[in-house]
Structures are given as structure tokens and as C-alpha cells.
Amino acid sequence: MAQQFFPVLSHFQNNNSWLSSDGRLRYRIVPTLDKVPEGEDPTGFVTAETWEGPWAYEFSTVEETKDFPLTEEGLEALQQWLEEQRQVVEARPQHTLEENIARKKMPEAAE
């Protein structure tokens, strides 16, 4: 299996989130940055949320959430954790179309 594309550290240090999939696994990664002096690399953490597809984030129920340090080592640990999550999801029986429709969550109505 080909390796998934994954953003570099500076992507998250620039306060960008990431939404992607790998097989039936869907995931969202959102950075939380600490305030640092001008010119220094941002610090903080990223929060990863995973769920089983086929639906997008807005139509799904997040199954797992985990924080990782905003460092090269933290991103390596995150990628390893996502691979573990993918294996868990892929080990499940395939859902039928009817089951997937029944699992679809409707987004909250805008107030």
C-alpha cells in the first residue's frame, strides 16, 4: 500500500488544519498554538479525531480523539496512531449502503 501524503510540521505551525482519509478511516487534525515571541517557532499540540467513513466530518460521529505535541516526534507518533486506527477500521466488516445511511449523522441546525 502506498504511503499517505501527510503535511510537514510547518503546515501545522502556520495554524492550518488537515482533513483526510485512508481507506475507510477518516481523520481531522487541528493545531492549537501557544503564544511565543516573534521569530520563534510556534509550540503547542495537534488534536486528531478519527471516524469510519464514508461520510464527511459533519455527517459522522467521531470515534477517537488524541492530542500530540507539535514537534517532528509528535507528528511521527500521530502518523503511527493513525495507521493503528486505520487497521482497526479496516478490520471491521464492510457496511451495507443501508447501514451507512442509518449511521449518517445530520449536522446541527444553524441557530
Side-chain angles (χ1 to χ4, degrees), residues 41-95:
D41 283 339
T43 59
F45 61 94
V46 292
T47 301
E49 299 173 295
T50 63
W51 65 96
E52 183 177 356
W55 308 117
Y57 182 82
E58 296 79 10
F59 303 108
S60 301
T61 300
V62 170
E63 297 177 21
E64 299 287 336
T65 302
K66 189 168 181 178
D67 292 335
F68 297 87
L70 187 58
T71 62
E72 290 290 348
E73 296 79 14
L75 293 187
E76 288 175 16
L78 167 58
Q79 289 179 40
Q80 181 178 355
W81 182 75
L82 288 172
E83 174 58 22
E84 293 166 4
Q85 294 300 305
R86 185 194 65 78
Q87 290 176 12
V88 167
V89 168
E90 293 294 336
R92 298 174 185 163
Q94 287 272 7
H95 293 288

